[in-house]
Structures are given as C-alpha cells and as structure tokens.
Amino acid sequence: MAVVTSFDAAGLHESAPTANDADRRASGQSLERDPGMPTSTWRLRSDAWEYLRFAIKRLESGHETASILDADGEISRNLRALETLELYWAGFGQRYVAEIREALDNGEYSSALERIGRVVSRLRGTSIPADHRDDRLDEAERAELQDDSDPRPRFEVLLVDETTPADRDALRADILKLRSAADAFVYDYVIVPSADDAVAAVLTNPNILAVVIRPGFSDRSQQRLSRDMRETIDLAHVDSAGTTATSRSSLASVQRVLGLADTLNTLRPELDLYLVAGAHIEDLAGVLTRRFRRVFLREDQLELHLSLLRRVSHLYDTPFFTAIQEHARRPAGVFHALPISRGGSVVTSKWITDLVDFYGLNLLLAETSATSGGLDSLLAPVGAIKKSQELAARAFGAKHTFFVTNGTSTANKIVHQALVSPGDIVLVDRNCHKSHHHALMLTGARTAYLEAYPLNEFAFYGAVPLDRIKQLLLDYRAAGRLDEVRLVTLTNCTFDGIVYDPERVMAECLAIKPDLVFLWDEAWFAFAAFHPITRRRTAMAAAKHLEERLSSSAHATAYQEQRARLFDPETGEPAADDAWLAERLLPSPDARIRVYATQSTHKTLTALRQGSMIHVYDKDWYREAEEPFHEAYMTHTSTSPNYQILASLDLGRRQVELEGFELVQRQLDLATSIAQAIARHPLLRRTFRVLSGHDLIPAANRASARPMPHRDGFSTMWQAWEEDEFVVDPSRITVEISRTGVDGDTFKHEHLMDRYGIQVNKTSRNTVLFMTNIGTSRSSVGYLIEVLVKLAERFEEETQAREIDGERPAPAPMPPLPDFSAFAPDYASADGLPDGDLRTAFFRGQRRANIEHLSHAQLTERVAGGAKPVSAGFVTPYPPGFPVLVPGQLVTDEVLDFMAVLDTREIHGYDPLRGYRILRED
Ligand SMILES: Cc1ncc(COP(=O)(O)O)c(C=O)c1O
C-alpha cells in the first residue's frame, strides 16, 4: 500500500492517503466544493487517485463493504472531483473516470482497481502498474500500456474545439500513427470544448506546452468548476481584453480566436500557439500570425506534428551544456593552464584522487580553459554562450540576457558601472544588498538613500513606499537638480518577501522624470517569471507591459488629461506636491523604458552557486548602453569564468521553460501548507505565529483585505497582486518565535541546524524565515512540521519550568531600527537634499593615517559628549547584508544602540577587538 505523509490537526502522522483530508486542511475547502482549485490541483489530483486505489483495494480484498461507495462517501466525492479534473489532463479523461464508476456500480472491483492502478502508475512515473494483469487487457489497452512505458520525455498539447467522442478517438489514433521511433519526445492531446476550459486547462495542467485552437470552440464551460476557478477565468479574460481590442479586424470569429490567444498568452507566454482553420487560411494568416506560431489547414496534420516536436526541441536545446559535453568526450592534449583539466593533475596523484571519487571524472573532463572547439568566450561570445544567453532572454522575457559567474553581487556592480557616472544621483533603498553600496562607492555616484518602512516589532525593514520615492524626485525637481538623478535601485522582492509593483513604481517615477533608468535587484525573484500571477511583478514583465500601455491611444488621452490637472495652464508651473502625490501618475507616451534586473538564478532556480543573470529591457540599449555595459562587464568578469556554472545556467533555463510553471506552483502551494499547518496545530499555534501581509505591510500600502491571498485561492491572489502596492511572496514564511524564549540566531543554529539539520538563512531577533523553493518536496515539508512540533513541545516544557505564578516571560524588548542618520557635512549635499559622496569618504578611510579605531564604549562616550563621529567604512551585518554604517555616515546613538543588541554573528567591516573604523577629524 502506498503510504504518504500528511498533516493532521494533532501533528504529523503516517496514514493512508486521504486526499480530502490533506487538501481540505491545506486549502480550507472541500475537494468537491472546489474541484478546480488551481493552486493545489497537482496535489489534489494525485492524492485523489492514490486514495481511490487504497480504498478500492480494501473493498476488493473484503476489508470494506460496498457501503463505502455511497454517494456522500469519500470515494464518490473523489470520483466526482476527478470527473472534472481529468478533462484537463491528457491520457485518461472523463470517460475513463466514468468507466471506473460504472465498474464499481456493477461490483467489478478488480477491473476498477486495475484502471485506477494505471493512472497511479503514470502519475508516479512508473510504467508497469503494481496491480497489472496482462490477460485482462484488450489490444487498445495493451497499446496504451506500451505507450505509458515509453521512456521519452512527454508533454501535452491542448486542443480547443467542440469535438465529438468519435472526433477525439480519431485524433488519438492519428497521433499514434504520426509518432515515430525517431521522435525525441512524445505528446498527447488534452481536448477541451470551450475558451473557459482552455483557460482552466492551462492554469491547472503544467504539462501543456502548446495549444492548438480551432475556431469551432464555444465560450463558456459546462463543467462544475470551483468559484475560485470561475473567478480566475473571468479575471484572465478581462486582463487580456485590452490587447485584443487593438486589433483592426472586424470579423467576430477572428476576434474570438484572438481573444483566446491573448488570454492564454498572458497567462503562460511560454505556450506555443497554433491555429488550425478550415478555409480562407491565406486571409487569416495575415491577421493572426503575430499571435500564432503558425496557421495550418486541418489536413496539415503532419506539419503540425513536426512543428510541435520541433518547438519543444528548441526549448530543450542547451547549446553551452551540449558544447561542454562534446568537449569532454573529445580526446585532447592540454598544453596550457589548468592542470586539473581532463583530470591531469588528479588521476595520477598519490594524494588527491578522492576528488575524482567524490565529484566524478566528468567534472574534470568538463574543466577546460579552451574557448574554441565548440566552446565560447563569456567575454566576447559568438557561439554557444551567445546562443544560451539569447535563449535565457526569451525565457525571462528580456531583450538581452547576460550570464554572470560571480553572483548578483557582481551583477549589480556591472549594471551600476554601466549606467552611472561620477556625480550622478542614484536613489537607492538603504536596505539594499551591500553590493549596491559598494557599486555606488566605486562609481562615485551621489547616493540618496530611500528609507523603507520599518517593522520594528520584528526587527527588520519592509520596502520603500512609492510616495517617498515620488517625494524625493519632486524635491530634486524643486531644487532644480532633477537632471542629475539618473537611476532608481530597489530590491524586488526583499529578503523577507515584500514585493513591489514595479510597473506602477516605474510609471509614476517616469511621469516625473521620463528618462530615469531602473535597476531591480531580483536576487530572490528569478522564479517569479514562471507563474502567471507572480510574473506581472517581475521587472521584465512590468517593462513590457508598460511599453505596451504607453503605446495605446487610451493612455495618450489619459496622460494629456492628467497633465492638464498637474500643471498651471497659465504659468506652466507644476501643481503643489500634494497633487502629484495624490494622483497615480501617468508617464509621457515618449518616456524611455530602460529597465535592468539582476537575478541570483542559483538562489531560486537550478544553477550552481554564483550562477546569476542580468536581464535588460532598455529602449536606448544600442544608443546609450551597449558599449558602457560591455566595458563594465569586462571590468568585473573573470577571464576564467567557471564553465560548470554557465552550463548550469543553460540547464536551469531549459528547466523553467519546460516545467517552471509546475515547479513554482508547487513551491507556492507547499509554503501555504506549512503556514496552514502552523496556524491549525494547537501546539504550534501556541508557540509560533506566521506573519501575514497584515503584519508585514502597512494598511496604507495594501488595498486587499485578505491577510494571505494565496491561501484563499488563485483569484484572490490575482487581485491582490494586481492592486496592492506591496504583496508578500507566498513562498516566504516569516515565523515569529518570541514565545519560544530563544532568539532567532539561537533558534537557527542550535535548534534547527545542530539538532535536526534544517537549514534556514535569515533570522531577526524574534523571527525565522522559512522559504520553499522549486526543489522542496512534500516530505521535506512534513519533516519541517514534525521538527517544529518537537521543538514546540520542548520550548513549552522549558517555558513552563520558568513561568512564575503562571505568567509567561515577556519577550525581550526590541531596539528601534535606526534610519540612515545622514552624511557628514564634508560628504553631504549643501542644499539639504539627502545625496552624499560615499567614494571620497571611502578612499579617505583607506589611508591608515586618516582613521582611528574606537570601541563601542569609546564611541558611545564620544557621541554622548556631543561629538559627531564619521564612519570610515561599511559595517554590514550578514545576513541580511545591508550596511548599518557606510563611509561618510554620521555615527549616532540610534546606530550604536542597534549594534549593541544585534545578534548576527557575522558583521562585515567590524572587528570586535579593534572596534569601529572612524575618520579622524582634520
Ligand atoms: C537582495 C540581494 N541582492 C544581491 C545579493 C547577492 O547575490 P549573490 O549571493 O548571488 O552574489 C543578495 C544575497 O543575499 C541579496 O539578498
């Protein structure tokens, strides 16, 4: 019997799979009431089949009676849910579920079990069902079984058209005929009759990689869909309505086809769309091809088949990884650097052959310093690396993508150096990663820090409210210095999962300064491009959408109307700042869309450590940026970049294009189930608290009322991610631990890691951040919950022992987080605006004669005496990795108080023995 781990209200237990239990608990909804819940369908579907197999097996073996088949029983509920769900998956379909039901009604339990077993085997990825009895199969079934055991990668193609059962059988027979042993992949059709069902299918079934639309489809679904699914379908149609309206074609049927194509493209742009039309294909082709890869006549089955396979082979293609493999297979002599290459210095060594034993010989065969022979140079790519980067640009929706082998720390420095000259003003979130501060110092930019809203209760920061960014830009405009402002840099999402609305931020800033450039640090957000809802808040998707918006005539009119309100018609002077802050500002249709994003691919997707990417969506790339970018890239890129990192970036890209949606959906869903398990378990609930959007985002910066939109379903999340200024990335779970009686650092090291081998990175004094990623499994989630229960029991015992008169000890008081104090007068701007000169202060501090070391106590005494000491360097607690002090910054009481209670072990730039580095007064 298959046993899966599930959570129950009393903790973790090993039990028979109960789809309803697991999902009702996880989603707060019953399976039947919500059969099409897209966020957890992957789990729901396989649980339902597993449960059926378990239950019918008991029935067949006489351990249960036929009463378990009652209409209100769990088996019937699962079957009803699967009748809806299976419409959206290839292979078995609704008819198959109906046949199982019929077999059960007729008491043919073994036959039902055999059918269920086949589905379970396919879902588990095993080819031969455990209950398989060959003698009972007819020819068609035997052919299907053989098909199931085909080891080739398999994908699904959605066909949207009203079809009869006979049509469908004919189609299936046709594909089997077209299939050839030489094909690298196999595919199956999912056939749905309506536009609504097409949307439901692409939202629930991540195996779908291509869609074939035939104009005969109907509009609305006849299925019993959940409310969440119905609302999501409506939102999807509305969301793409603007795009369709721009078409000049007046043909109603063409509009329907275009509308559906746009909706599907908005949801999953990686899907390949084909149109199969009956006639007038020549006329249609001109109107439709921008949306469709190709338009075919019905009889062009073979051409369509070849196109489908060819497209997937393009997604599968990994030019650099392939080149590395080929290089490793070639016999070669090395008369150059890198003794490790081809195992040279290792395999014959007396002392270090364990390197090969551990990593395998392939690693050494792949190590080379060659840039020819099929390989390529990262610094001047013309072959495999260039191609791989182009494919990555396609996958992430960028115009250009560059691989970086030294992490986003380097990627950030490259972008800053490419865009900023000494003296340019950069508006930057003070809590951004240290690499930005270093880059600002290197470029000689004048740094104007933006303050994020603090979350003092939890000892970390949120994000920078848009009002503050606008106000600062207006201040520079009022001072006549707006032309000096060059770049805005923000972290999206923050370490703690606060996500901006980049399109809104850019639009409103561009309304004040139309040539601003944006750098979005998406170190933690690479995964977001592969989910329909999170994608819209990535820099690349936002840039594209904004560009499309600016080109519409509706925008041009709205822009003119707003300008009339914001400028005095007589004098041409802008209205008071309040008016500019109160309106959602619209940029000029001529505003320049210049957007850069840096991503630590290795943090959230498949890539070796340090594998990062820079994505570019810059309208002025060729004129303004390409050459400076390449100079900056040369400055920071090693001439010996690690090929294994590059190959892993190539593979990571292949993965997200083929299965990114599935993996990200699972990542979000598993995080939600962790949050729910903590919220529902009595002991966990007493000990831990999962922070929601209501804790992490001020009410003024969110419109939606729900604390955890993702938990409520796809449509609630969709609306929150569309409307709210900030949202929380659901895959980050910040847990408040004050009631455990230990601080975050102790919890992380002594309890999670040392006792149970659970790794987390980020803590504050009273919180711990748990993250799911695309590699998280259901069993690892189960293990985490199990560990939390054990820890909670332990903490509760300890706390009870310490309790006096039944009172719990009060949590330790939190120090307020210090805002950026100010630059010292030597480095600050004379007009009172916040920009300062990091570089001059930094290089002064590099000369020993200019600095002194002061202990915490000495510095505290000086400040108490009225002195204003100035930091000579960066002081950065890691994690989270943003500086508490930067060169040229005044050291204040607040900074010292914060440092006094900081529990981070690693503080870059601060030596506890020697103290702080302070600039001597002249
Ligand atoms: C927001 C942010 N940006 C950049 C980085 C640096 O990324 P990498 O570790 O890839 O150098 C980090 C690392 O934690 C980060 O949190």
Side-chain angles (χ1 to χ4, degrees):
M1 182 195 77
V3 173
V4 297
T5 304
S6 63
F7 312 133
D8 72 357
L12 183 92
H13 69 172
E14 291 281 294
S15 71
T18 55
N20 284 9
D21 279 1
D23 281 285
R24 224 179 293 136
R25 281 181 207 118
S27 66
Q29 319 248 3
S30 87
L31 181 64
E32 192 183 14
R33 259 193 297 126
D34 214 357
M37 180 125 172
T39 45
S40 54
T41 307
W42 66 278
R43 191 154 48 88
L44 197 142
R45 179 174 176 244
S46 68
D47 281 0
W49 282 112
E50 290 277 0
Y51 174 76
L52 285 179
R53 183 164 171 273
F54 164 79
I56 306 300
K57 208 167 184 181
R58 286 181 65 79
L59 184 63
E60 191 210 22
S61 60
H63 287 91
E64 294 284 355
T65 64
S67 65
I68 62 167
L69 297 176
D70 286 353
D72 58 351
E74 189 139 335
I75 292 178
S76 294
R77 282 208 300 270
N78 277 301
L79 281 170
R80 282 200 292 275
L82 286 172
E83 258 169 26
T84 304
L85 288 183
E86 288 305 325
L87 174 65
Y88 304 122
W89 298 81
F92 299 99
Q94 292 183 307
R95 200 163 46 169
Y96 195 81
V97 182
E99 282 163 10
I100 292 172
R101 184 192 286 275
E102 208 177 295
L104 289 174
D105 290 345
N106 296 336
E108 296 159 9
Y109 303 143
S110 329
S111 150
L113 188 58
E114 199 146 356
R115 285 168 175 279
I116 294 166
R118 279 175 52 203
V119 186
V120 170
S121 303
R122 185 180 282 190
L123 290 177
R124 286 189 197 161
T126 52
S127 53
I128 305 297
D131 312 314
H132 161 70
R133 295 249 321 262
D134 200 47
D135 54 331
R136 292 215 193 119
L137 302 179
D138 63 27
E139 206 169 313
E141 285 173 327
R142 218 168 272 127
E144 266 185 56
L145 261 187
Q146 206 177 348
D147 182 36
D148 277 359
S149 59
D150 194 323
R152 287 175 287 186
R154 186 179 282 271
F155 63 99
E156 296 179 22
V157 177
L158 179 68
L159 176 78
V160 195
D161 194 10
E162 289 269 17
T163 49
T164 60
D167 278 349
R168 291 198 282 274
D169 290 342
L171 195 74
R172 292 225 164 84
D174 281 350
I175 339 177
L176 287 178
K177 257 191 264 146
L178 289 169
R179 218 172 257 177
S180 120
D183 297 340
F185 314 101
V186 285
Y187 65 88
D188 300 296
Y189 273 114
V190 179
I191 304 167
V192 296
S194 73
D196 283 0
D197 290 314
V199 174
V202 302
L203 283 174
T204 50
N205 180 351
N207 298 343
I208 295 174
L209 292 183
V211 183
V212 176
I213 298 180
R214 292 193 200 151
F217 64 88
S218 56
D219 292 332
R220 308 306 303 201
S221 172
Q222 302 299 317
Q223 300 301 312
R224 288 183 317 126
L225 296 175
S226 66
R227 187 162 60 90
D228 180 36
M229 179 57 100
R230 272 186 277 112
E231 285 174 3
T232 308
I233 291 171
D234 290 342
L235 286 166
H237 287 317
V238 171
D239 211 50
S240 63
T243 345
T244 314
T246 58
S247 161
R248 294 226 188 93
S249 169
S250 58
L251 282 170
S253 67
V254 171
Q255 286 291 359
R256 289 178 68 241
V257 169
L258 286 180
L260 179 57
D262 285 338
T263 303
L264 299 180
N265 184 258
T266 309
L267 291 174
R268 296 202 22 212
E270 77 278 14
L271 292 178
D272 214 16
L273 301 182
Y274 297 90
L275 179 71
V276 171
H280 304 301
I281 179 171
E282 301 78 4
D283 302 340
L284 284 177
V287 189
L288 298 172
T289 40
R290 216 167 52 77
R291 265 51 166 234
F292 293 94
R293 180 163 299 273
R294 276 194 65 180
V295 180
F296 288 108
L297 273 176
R298 257 187 196 240
E299 42 276 29
D300 293 337
Q301 281 281 8
L302 179 62
E303 282 299 307
L304 174 61
H305 170 77
L306 295 175
S307 299
L308 289 168
L309 290 178
R310 197 171 154 72
R311 159 74 176 166
V312 172
S313 74
H314 284 155
L315 299 178
Y316 192 86
D317 186 21
T318 37
F320 189 69
F321 177 53
T322 306
I324 279 279
Q325 285 173 294
E326 276 164 16
H327 183 88
R329 283 195 284 266
R330 277 170 63 161
V334 178
F335 293 95
H336 188 49
L338 209 67
I340 201 175
S341 176
R342 317 200 69 76
S345 63
V346 182
V347 288
T348 53
S349 162
K350 287 200 277 291
W351 297 101
I352 60 166
T353 44
D354 46 348
L355 178 83
V356 184
D357 296 341
F358 184 68
Y359 286 109
L361 188 59
N362 270 349
L363 176 72
L364 307 184
L365 291 176
E367 274 295 300
T368 172
S369 55
T371 54
S372 53
L375 295 169
D376 196 5
S377 161
L378 181 63
L379 290 164
V382 289
I385 293 181
K386 183 167 188 282
K387 185 84 204 304
S388 297
Q389 294 186 145
E390 284 165 3
L391 297 182
R394 173 183 75 193
F396 288 87
K399 297 277 188 201
H400 310 276
T401 288
F402 299 90
F403 292 166
V404 179
T405 58
N406 191 24
T408 300
S409 305
T410 291
N412 285 334
K413 289 177 196 134
I414 292 171
V415 178
H416 276 275
Q417 186 180 322
L419 299 172
V420 176
S421 305
D424 284 347
I425 294 172
V426 176
L427 308 193
V428 52
D429 174 4
R430 205 278 297 252
N431 304 311
C432 64
H433 187 256
K434 56 189 260 180
S435 53
H436 295 277
H437 303 268
H438 288 137
L440 290 160
M441 178 272 290
L442 287 170
T443 57
R446 293 197 63 84
T447 306
Y449 283 121
L450 293 159
E451 220 52 80
Y453 62 81
L455 293 160
N456 286 328
E457 205 188 328
F458 311 114
F460 58 84
Y461 285 91
V464 184
L466 178 52
D467 274 0
R468 289 189 195 167
I469 309 172
K470 284 164 72 177
Q471 183 64 65
L472 192 52
L473 287 170
L474 294 173
D475 292 346
Y476 277 104
R477 183 172 73 180
R481 294 180 61 199
L482 194 55
D483 59 324
E484 293 170 43
V485 183
R486 170 99 174 135
L487 179 73
V488 176
T489 298
L490 295 166
T491 308
N492 194 41
C493 64
T494 68
F495 207 156
D496 302 286
I498 313 290
V499 184
Y500 287 84
D501 180 346
E503 183 178 341
R504 178 167 170 202
V505 172
M506 294 193 288
E508 296 215 42
C509 290
L510 287 171
I512 301 173
K513 186 163 199 284
D515 61 352
L516 268 180
V517 192
F518 297 87
L519 166 56
W520 292 96
D521 183 331
E522 294 184 347
W524 292 101
F525 213 43
F527 74 87
F530 303 96
H531 185 279
I533 297 182
T534 52
R535 181 186 311 112
R536 64 186 58 205
R537 290 201 179 215
T538 64
M540 291 301 108
K544 179 166 187 282
H545 198 253
L546 186 57
E547 189 178 45
E548 283 164 8
R549 234 175 81 194
L550 295 199
S551 64
S552 77
S553 57
H555 176 83
T557 314
Y559 169 73
Q560 290 304 344
E561 286 167 6
Q562 187 175 67
R563 288 276 127 170
R565 287 194 299 278
L566 291 177
F567 287 91
D568 187 314
E570 312 265 294
T571 63
E573 286 298 308
D577 286 358
D578 283 353
W580 285 71
L581 294 175
E583 293 233 10
R584 203 176 262 223
L585 299 179
L586 301 174
S588 156
D590 300 327
R592 312 305 297 166
I593 307 289
R594 306 198 58 193
V595 187
Y596 293 72
T598 49
Q599 292 177 344
S600 295
T601 320
H602 65 101
K603 287 197 203 303
T604 65
L605 299 175
T606 297
L608 291 177
R609 206 161 146 82
Q610 297 190 1
S612 283
M613 296 190 196
I614 301 172
H615 303 300
V616 180
Y617 203 107
D618 184 349
K619 225 170 171 168
D620 294 336
W621 171 254
Y622 293 108
R623 207 182 54 199
E624 299 280 347
E626 189 182 16
E627 284 179 357
F629 184 93
H630 281 121
E631 286 304 316
Y633 194 79
M634 297 290 160
T635 308
H636 295 281
T637 302
S638 165
T639 40
S640 313
N642 184 307
Y643 281 174
Q644 313 334 317
I645 294 179
L646 295 176
S648 74
L649 287 171
D650 206 12
L651 281 162
R653 190 273 314 150
R654 177 208 287 173
Q655 179 176 42
V656 287
E657 284 203 298
L658 289 163
E659 56 181 353
F661 174 46
E662 176 174 13
L663 298 176
V664 174
Q665 208 175 33
R666 188 178 66 186
Q667 156 184 348
L668 302 184
D669 185 41
L670 286 177
T672 303
S673 58
I674 295 175
Q676 302 241 355
I678 295 177
R680 290 190 179 148
H681 188 295
L683 178 58
L684 292 180
R685 200 168 54 205
R686 275 203 304 279
T687 317
F688 304 110
R689 184 164 74 95
V690 176
L691 301 187
S692 72
H694 286 189
D695 299 299
L696 297 172
I697 302 169
N701 306 102
R702 54 180 154 81
S704 64
R706 304 296 301 159
M708 287 195 186
H710 181 255
R711 189 184 56 191
D712 297 338
F714 221 72
S715 59
T716 315
M717 181 178 171
W718 183 303
Q719 278 163 320
W721 282 62
E722 198 155 76
E723 289 160 18
D724 289 3
E725 178 172 350
F726 300 117
V727 287
V728 179
D729 165 12
S731 55
R732 277 146 194 276
I733 309 147
T734 302
V735 177
E736 197 238 318
I737 57 160
S738 308
R739 283 156 170 266
T740 62
V742 299
D743 62 43
D745 197 58
T746 312
F747 190 82
K748 161 178 157 175
H749 289 285
E750 287 177 22
H751 295 283
L752 288 177
M753 192 50 170
D754 295 350
R755 263 182 230 285
Y756 295 108
I758 287 185
Q759 190 205 331
V760 296
N761 254 8
K762 164 86 189 342
T763 59
S764 73
R765 278 181 70 78
N766 59 349
T767 65
V768 179
L769 175 71
F770 295 96
M771 286 169 51
T772 53
N773 62 43
I774 62 163
T776 307
S777 65
R778 287 176 83 175
S779 28
S780 61
V781 167
Y783 179 58
L784 172 64
I785 300 298
E786 187 184 343
V787 166
L788 289 179
V789 171
K790 286 185 184 144
L791 286 174
E793 280 165 356
R794 184 191 177 96
F795 291 132
E796 190 148 277
E797 272 168 31
E798 285 175 4
T799 314
Q800 273 163 5
R802 282 202 307 267
E803 270 177 7
I804 311 150
D805 301 333
E807 298 267 316
R808 281 174 178 274
M814 288 296 124
L817 292 166
D819 278 349
F820 179 74
S821 47
F823 284 108
D826 283 355
Y827 313 104
S829 165
D831 56 9
L833 283 164
D835 54 288
D837 174 7
L838 284 173
R839 187 167 68 170
T840 304
F842 176 87
F843 283 106
R844 258 195 87 199
Q846 291 292 84
R847 293 272 165 272
R848 185 68 185 83
N850 294 337
I851 62 152
E852 57 184 327
H853 286 98
L854 292 180
S855 69
H856 193 86
Q858 288 169 319
L859 203 48
T860 309
E861 202 178 307
R862 277 213 196 164
V863 173
K868 295 197 163 174
V870 180
S871 178
F874 294 98
V875 176
T876 311
Y878 197 92
F882 67 79
V884 172
L885 285 171
V886 303
Q889 182 183 344
L890 292 173
V891 182
T892 57
D893 274 339
E894 291 77 29
V895 170
L896 291 169
D897 289 350
F898 181 75
M899 287 295 289
V901 294
L902 198 68
D903 58 3
T904 312
R905 294 172 188 212
E906 193 177 325
I907 303 179
H908 303 164
Y910 171 74
D911 179 344
L913 294 177
R914 302 171 85 185
Y916 295 85
R917 291 172 62 240
I918 297 297
L919 288 171
R920 281 183 196 282
E921 288 182 33
D922 288 330

